[in-house]
Amino acid sequence: MEMIKLNIDNRTVEVEKGTTIYHAAKKLDIEIPTLCYMNLGDLKIEHKPGGCRVCVVEVEGRRNLAPACATECTDGMEVQTHSIRVLNARETVLELILS
């Protein structure tokens, strides 16, 4: 099992390669809202389409925001979960869903 390190909200976390940003953030007790993501652990069912875009985060070096539930972590990744850009995007997504 290969381990990688990344920074989420200026906090370092070490996770297994292949872990999503969402799960890495949970390891640090950082809440990222979700809508379409679902995990039924006892039934071994995980649904992570990343389609609703409620869980978007800002990843340094990427032009577009990334869905945390579907984006795998990479070594040295820098992630911001509550920047102004992220919060505005989540608000817009919710407004579009409600309309």
Side-chain angles (χ1 to χ4, degrees):
M1 132 178 80
E2 184 180 345
M3 300 298 281
I4 59 171
K5 286 185 181 180
L6 66 146
N7 288 318
I8 303 176
D9 294 341
N10 301 315
R11 294 170 56 195
T12 302
V13 64
E14 188 172 16
V15 295
E16 288 183 36
K17 186 176 183 177
T19 301
T20 62
I21 295 171
Y22 176 76
H23 285 105
K26 281 189 78 101
K27 198 170 178 182
L28 292 171
D29 292 323
I30 296 172
E31 292 293 325
I32 298 175
T34 62
L35 184 61
C36 65
Y37 173 77
M38 176 183 64
N39 186 1
L40 303 173
D42 9 338
L43 299 176
K44 296 186 172 133
I45 297 172
E46 184 176 26
H47 181 64
K48 53 181 181 180
C52 74
R53 293 298 195 255
V54 170
C55 67
V56 292
V57 294
E58 196 165 5
V59 177
E60 186 176 306
R62 285 184 64 157
R63 185 174 179 196
N64 297 326
L65 297 176
C69 71
T71 304
E72 290 186 4
C73 300
T74 58
D75 197 42
M77 182 182 265
E78 297 279 339
V79 179
Q80 294 297 318
T81 64
H82 292 86
S83 68
I84 295 298
R85 183 177 177 211
V86 167
L87 297 176
N88 286 338
R90 290 178 186 161
E91 182 180 3
T92 300
V93 166
L94 284 175
E95 287 174 357
L96 290 171
I97 290 171
L98 292 172
S99 68

